[in-house]
Structures are given as structure tokens and as C-alpha cells.
Amino acid sequence: MRRFNDYLCAYFAFSMSKWFRLFPSIVLSFLLLSCGLSSKINLGDRAEEFNFMEGLSGFYKEDYAYAADCFKRALKMNPQNDAALFYMGKIRFAYGDIPHALAYMKAAAQADTSNYWYLTQIAQLYMKEEKTDKAIEVYEDLVERYPRKMDLYYDLANLYLNHRATDKAMELLNRIEEIGGSSESSGFYRFNLLLMQDKREEAIRWIGQVADTYASPRAFAILGDSYAESGQDSLALVNYRQALAADPDCMPAIFGQAEIYRMKRQFDLFFQNMYVIMDHPDVDASMKRDYMEQLMQNRAFVTTFLPQVDSLFTKMYYCHPTDTAVVYLFAGFLVQAGKEGDAVEVLEQNVARYPQDQRAWSQYMSIHYFLQNWDKLYSLAVEVEQRFPKDPNFLTMKGLASWQIGNILEATSLFESVLPMVKDKPELLAQTWSILGDLYHASHQSKKSFKAYDQSLKIDPGQTGALNNYAYFLALAGKKLQQAYEMSKKTIDAEPQNPTYLDTFGWILYLLDRPQEAKAIFRQVLVYGGKEQSAEVLDHYAEVLFALKDYDMAFIYWEQARAKEKNPELEKKIALRKTQMKP
């Protein structure tokens, strides 16, 4: 299982977000001063100041074109206006033009050599260009010029780490501690550096010192993880408990305990700890999702502890009801757990929460498709069509629902309207032609049906739905049986355990007067299709058995078919077959 403590390894990771930080207007005067503008404004020349202020206003409104025009006018009056150069650099960066952004930033730094902020921005741009060596040069110069600015040391140390220069990072860390003294933060940094240098034992000893010196719950949790990984569960639990004594909400320690209890098969304690994690809003929702997805892969475990797993999912959902990824995962679990009604309710609430989210509607409609709630699916499709007109996916849903409630003409019209919408999407286009083939056949338009299947297979020769139905309808018509055989063979090669495709293939073998081979195929149909076989499949198998003169078994399967479906034609055939038995 993935450990939640991994995030500690990035505790001091350099943040690129400062480049995008917006300054509130209340500190505008301070910003101008820091950029060196106030010392340059000529009170007798208000034009430069006016253009700069107008540019600044446009910049924060994200009207970059207007802002750039204003800054350029200011620079025409004063090419050394470092603040205008700085903002031109930010505008070029916003457009993704890093080379020109760099040029402007360098010009700003040359115009005001005392402003270290410009130099840090230059370094960030080098990082964007993956020129770590140049960024390091900038920061090395900054550290020498501003030896008391501790943030610069950590920024440089992280650049060293990105460049895999761990020895230099360690030297810099020693210098940091010489200037500012040791701290819990520097202790974690040293721990991570030692791990990167493959000095695991030394790293563990060091994090132990950090834990003891600062009574750090994070350090105790890491120490617990280290013992757990080496199989020393008792020592791991001791450290997890020390972490929790210092901070009862130390989630890494709670998770570490849970994992130990899971491995020791003490499942009551495992769930007790996991309930706390799933119920805690400060634990990242994505971490919870990842864990539950991994847990779901162990089907035996989920089946054995279904009520407890249900509780984990429920706590996660009610802790993060607005996280759509959590919602979809929870709904999927509910369906697997046989709580389809609850899954529908969860997805319905999600649609109510995000009425303009197409995926929310798609998930909600999909569960009704899965549950074969055709009337409900159709009504939803009508509503969604008003929200997202001309969306081929929703029109497809509407077409399928319309087909299932018996409105073949409307369904056909809908799928014909989808064709031009998906002409540049081969997979969807092939599927649409395949469905039209089915619809044309349902309305007794065999020629149009076969042409539609031909269109589908021309686009995607491996379209199994088209191959299967085309082959089956050819077999029903008694036409081109060899072609039908070849198409059907492709479907079972692609999906050898699909009972529908196996039924088609078996029936074609029977029609080709190969009943012994057909019998073997139908035995697979019974295995992969389970007990819930359709009357048609049972009738097919009975015909094969009758052809092999296995009359007793043939009539057993005909009786099963009769029990499945009241069909006068089937009754007539059974009566006829009773007169056709041969010794």
C-alpha cells in the first residue's frame, strides 16, 4: 500500500508559484518602491508615470495587450524604467514567450542592479527552460551578495537537488545551520539529503535525533515507517504512538499503525485507524481515493469485510461530497455492493450540485443505462439535450433509450443525425454505423442494415458489435454463411468468453452442418453465460443436440427455453421435433 508519509520528502521543495503571485492594490505603493520606480519618477514628467500606472492597471485586469502598449510608451520615454521592463517580462511569460521574458527581466536587472527580486525571476525563467545550471549560477551569485537571506539558501539547495548535486546541497545546508542554527526544518532537510545519498542508516539515526530533540510528530512517524519497512513492527508502533502523543491528529502515524495492523491481520484495529483517516478533512481526498482503489483490487478482502469497507467509502464520501472523483468512485462501489439505489441517489445529488458539468450528467445517465431504466434514461436525455444541444454522446444516450422503449423510428433518426457530428472520430463513427445496422434490421430494412454494417467495418474492421450482428443476421437469412462464419470467428478470437458472440458462432457452425463443433461452442456459452441464458440460446443448443440425436438433453433444454419465454412458434417447433426423432 502506498504510504501517506511520502509527502514529507518534498517538505522543503521549491515553489514556482511565487512567479504567479498577484499583489493586492493596497500594497501597490510598496511594490513600486521595491521595483525602484519611485526613485526614478520625474514629477515634472507625468506622462511616464501615467503610462506605467495605466499599464499596471491593465496587467492586473489581465488585459495584457493594453498593458504592453502602456509599458512600451513608458519605456520609450525612459528605456531604463526597470519596473516597466519587469512587467513586460511578466506579460511575455503570460504568453508563454520565455526567451523574450528573459530578455526583459535581464534588462530590468541591469537597470536596477540592487533589486535581487529581478534576479530570482531570471532564475525561475531558466528553470522553466530546464537550464538548471544557469539558474544555479544566478542563485550562487545572490547568496554571495545577500548572505543573510535564508530563503535564497534553501532555493539554491533545491536547485542543487534538482541537478542531483547532493554534495553541494549538503555543504549549503551546513552553511545554513552555521548562520541560523539547527532547526526541525533543517533536520528534515538533512534527512532527505542523506536518503538521496543512499545513506539510509545515517538518515534513520538523524531523524531519530530530530524526533527526540524537537518532539516532532512527523519525525516519529517517519521513524515508525522506517522500522515498519524493516519488519520491526513493535518499534514502529512505539514511534507511531509517540507521534500521536505529541499530535493526536498526526495522520501519517495513524496510517502507519493501520498498515501494521492490516499486515498482522488485526483487522478490527486496522479499520479503527482507517475510519479516522477517511473521516478527517485534512487528509487529501486524492490520497484516500488512491488507497480505496487499491483496496478494491483485493476482491476477497472486500467481500469478507464488505460492511467495514462500506463504512470507509461512506466516511470518505461524506468528508468530500463535492469531490467528483470521490463521488464516482463511491457510486461504483455501491453498484458492486448491490446498492444501486444508493448509487443513483449519490449521482443525482452530484448532478444537482454541478448542473453544468457534462461528465456529471454522463455518469448519472450511465447508471440508468446500466440498470436498464430506459424510461428514466429517456427523460434525462430530453432534459440534457436542452442543456447541451448537439452533443453526440448525449444524443447517443437518447437514441439508445428511445430504441429500448420501442421507438425505432426516433432512434434511427437520432443516430442518423449523430453521423455528421462524429465524422472526424473514427471509433464513434464506426459504432454509430453499427447501431444503425441494428436499427435498420429491427425495422425490416435488411439491405440498409447490411450496408450500414459494411460502412462500420470499412472504418473499423475489428468492430466486434458489427461483425457479430452482421454475421448473425446473415445466418438468419441463410445467406453467405461462409462470410458469416469468418466474421463471427473474428469476434470470438477478440473476446473468447463473450457468450453472445459464442452463441452466434455456434449457431453458424450448426447451419454449416458441423453440429459436433457447434456443441463444443455451446458448452462454452453455458459456462461463460451462467445460468441466466436467453430462450433463444437454449433453443439453439437444443437444436444442436437434436441434430446429434441426443434427444433427451435436447428436450430438457427446450423445456428450459419454454419456461423462459412463452412463444407459440417455439411450442409448434417442439411439437414437430417430437415427431421427427429417429432411432
Side-chain angles (χ1 to χ4, degrees):
M1 291 290 181
R2 184 181 303 168
R3 291 197 171 277
F4 282 10
N5 296 355
D6 289 351
Y7 75 89
L8 291 172
C9 294
Y11 184 76
F12 295 100
F14 182 75
S15 171
M16 296 292 286
S17 64
K18 64 172 67 175
W19 176 251
F20 300 98
R21 189 176 299 135
L22 295 179
F23 298 96
S25 58
I26 195 169
V27 295
L28 184 58
S29 60
F30 171 77
L31 180 142
L32 294 175
L33 180 62
S34 69
C35 291
L37 178 64
S38 60
S39 63
K40 295 180 173 59
I41 293 176
N42 182 348
L43 297 178
D45 183 5
R46 309 298 295 180
E48 180 187 347
E49 177 185 7
F50 173 79
N51 280 300
F52 177 80
M53 295 301 294
E54 279 293 294
L56 201 61
S57 175
F59 179 84
Y60 286 114
K61 291 177 183 177
E62 297 185 6
D63 186 351
Y64 296 135
Y66 176 73
D69 285 342
C70 293
F71 289 136
K72 285 177 181 177
R73 284 196 292 270
L75 287 168
K76 190 173 182 179
M77 299 170 192
N78 177 12
Q80 296 302 306
N81 187 325
D82 58 286
L85 291 166
F86 171 77
Y87 277 99
M88 282 299 297
K90 294 192 76 170
I91 289 170
R92 295 321 306 168
F93 179 81
Y95 286 129
D97 183 0
I98 294 179
H100 283 94
L102 258 172
Y104 277 115
M105 285 298 172
K106 288 178 179 178
Q110 289 173 358
D112 183 0
T113 57
S114 65
N115 194 317
Y116 88 98
W117 175 252
Y118 294 161
L119 293 173
T120 63
Q121 303 311 296
I122 291 171
Q124 302 315 306
L125 288 170
Y126 279 137
M127 288 294 290
K128 283 291 184 181
E129 287 193 317
E130 297 184 357
K131 295 178 179 178
T132 309
D133 53 340
K134 288 187 174 294
I136 287 173
E137 288 178 10
V138 173
Y139 266 102
E140 286 176 339
D141 178 57
L142 282 167
V143 164
E144 293 304 317
R145 290 169 62 180
Y146 304 98
R148 307 305 298 181
K149 290 185 179 293
M150 300 306 296
D151 285 350
L152 295 175
Y153 287 89
Y154 281 110
D155 290 346
L156 178 56
N158 279 289
L159 286 171
Y160 284 145
L161 292 182
N162 291 338
H163 213 50
R164 308 304 297 177
T166 55
D167 291 339
K168 285 189 175 182
M170 187 66 80
E171 289 175 10
L172 198 60
L173 177 60
N174 292 334
R175 190 172 169 185
I176 290 171
E177 292 186 333
E178 287 174 7
I179 297 171
S182 299
S183 65
E184 182 181 358
S185 297
S186 66
F188 278 113
Y189 206 103
R190 188 176 296 277
F191 167 74
N192 289 323
L193 276 174
L194 289 169
L195 287 180
M196 292 183 70
Q197 292 177 327
D198 294 323
K199 298 177 180 178
R200 181 174 176 75
E201 291 185 5
E202 187 178 346
I204 299 304
R205 286 195 300 272
W206 182 257
I207 203 65
Q209 292 179 34
V210 173
D212 292 336
T213 302
Y214 301 102
S216 168
R218 289 180 304 213
F220 279 122
I222 292 175
L223 202 56
D225 288 346
S226 300
Y227 284 125
E229 288 170 7
S230 61
Q232 300 178 74
D233 293 345
S234 297
L235 284 173
L237 286 172
V238 167
N239 280 277
Y240 289 141
R241 287 164 186 160
Q242 286 183 284
L244 292 169
D247 176 11
D249 287 334
C250 182
M251 292 298 116
I254 294 173
F255 181 76
Q257 284 187 157
E259 283 297 277
I260 286 178
Y261 292 135
R262 184 180 66 84
M263 297 302 294
K264 293 168 73 71
R265 304 186 68 79
Q266 294 177 267
F267 294 119
D268 54 338
L269 294 173
F270 162 73
F271 283 110
Q272 180 180 319
N273 281 269
M274 288 306 301
Y275 290 155
V276 174
I277 290 172
M278 292 297 162
D279 220 8
H280 203 289
D282 291 340
V283 178
D284 187 67
S286 64
M287 292 182 178
K288 296 179 184 180
R289 292 197 314 268
D290 289 347
Y291 188 84
M292 294 308 295
E293 285 176 347
Q294 292 179 59
L295 195 67
M296 285 294 290
Q297 293 175 14
N298 189 338
R299 294 184 179 275
F301 181 87
V302 173
T303 302
T304 303
F305 297 102
L306 186 59
Q308 293 91 335
V309 173
D310 191 328
S311 294
L312 289 178
F313 267 107
T314 302
K315 288 178 181 296
M316 177 179 69
Y317 169 67
Y318 281 109
C319 193
H320 308 282
T322 61
D323 187 308
T324 53
V326 167
V327 170
Y328 301 145
L329 184 63
F330 183 43
F333 164 76
L334 289 171
V335 170
Q336 293 182 50
K339 296 184 175 183
E340 293 90 351
D342 291 342
V344 169
E345 184 177 344
V346 165
L347 292 174
E348 184 176 17
Q349 290 173 355
N350 191 56
V351 162
R353 188 176 289 114
Y354 302 110
Q356 300 306 316
D357 187 334
Q358 289 183 258
R359 190 182 178 199
W361 281 100
S362 179
Q363 291 288 328
Y364 184 40
M365 293 172 72
S366 293
I367 194 169
H368 286 292
Y369 178 86
F370 173 76
L371 297 174
Q372 300 183 12
N373 297 334
W374 305 120
D375 290 329
K376 179 65 175 179
L377 179 60
Y378 183 80
S379 66
L380 287 173
V382 171
E383 180 180 353
V384 169
E385 190 175 10
Q386 297 173 357
R387 293 178 179 273
F388 310 107
K390 305 301 181 182
D391 185 296
N393 295 315
F394 291 130
L395 286 175
T396 295
M397 283 279 197
K398 185 179 180 182
L400 292 171
S402 183
W403 182 7
Q404 293 301 320
I405 62 178
N407 196 337
I408 303 297
L409 289 178
E410 181 187 31
T412 303
S413 176
L414 283 165
F415 279 104
E416 287 175 341
S417 72
V418 167
L419 286 174
M421 299 180 190
V422 297
K423 62 182 179 181
D424 296 326
K425 300 175 181 178
E427 184 178 353
L428 291 177
L429 186 59
Q431 291 175 356
T432 303
W433 274 117
S434 178
I435 292 171
L436 279 169
D438 298 343
L439 288 166
Y440 290 141
H441 186 271
S443 56
H444 309 291
Q445 301 179 75
S446 296
K447 288 185 179 179
K448 288 188 73 173
S449 174
F450 294 152
K451 285 182 179 179
Y453 290 136
D454 284 332
Q455 286 287 350
S456 177
L457 295 172
K458 183 179 179 181
I459 299 163
D460 179 8
Q463 229 291 331
T464 54
L467 287 166
N468 177 75
N469 292 358
Y470 197 176
Y472 187 62
F473 294 143
L474 283 173
L476 287 182
K479 297 178 180 178
K480 302 180 181 179
L481 290 180
Q482 189 57 41
Q483 179 184 341
Y485 169 85
E486 291 169 0
M487 288 192 293
S488 183
K489 182 67 166 60
K490 289 181 181 179
T491 67
I492 63 167
D493 287 343
E495 299 183 38
Q497 297 182 6
N498 187 311
T500 299
Y501 297 168
L502 287 167
D503 171 57
T504 298
F505 189 59
W507 188 241
I508 292 171
L509 286 171
Y510 166 75
L511 294 175
L512 288 170
D513 198 24
R514 295 159 65 176
Q516 197 65 48
E517 294 174 67
K519 179 181 178 180
I521 295 297
F522 275 105
R523 290 176 69 86
Q524 293 180 56
V525 176
L526 296 179
V527 170
Y528 298 128
K531 297 180 180 179
E532 296 300 319
Q533 298 295 341
S534 69
E536 186 177 39
V537 170
L538 295 168
D539 177 35
H540 286 167
Y541 191 30
E543 285 286 6
V544 170
L545 293 170
F546 189 87
L548 293 170
K549 298 184 180 180
D550 190 349
Y551 299 128
D552 290 341
M553 289 303 299
F555 283 104
I556 286 174
Y557 282 103
W558 266 317
E559 285 300 319
Q560 291 182 15
R562 176 188 284 170
K564 289 276 185 184
E565 180 183 326
K566 299 300 180 183
N567 185 336
E569 295 300 321
L570 179 62
E571 296 289 346
K572 290 179 184 178
K573 183 169 73 171
I574 293 173
L576 177 62
R577 291 291 184 263
K578 287 181 178 179
T579 67
Q580 294 175 331
M581 292 186 292
K582 297 178 181 179

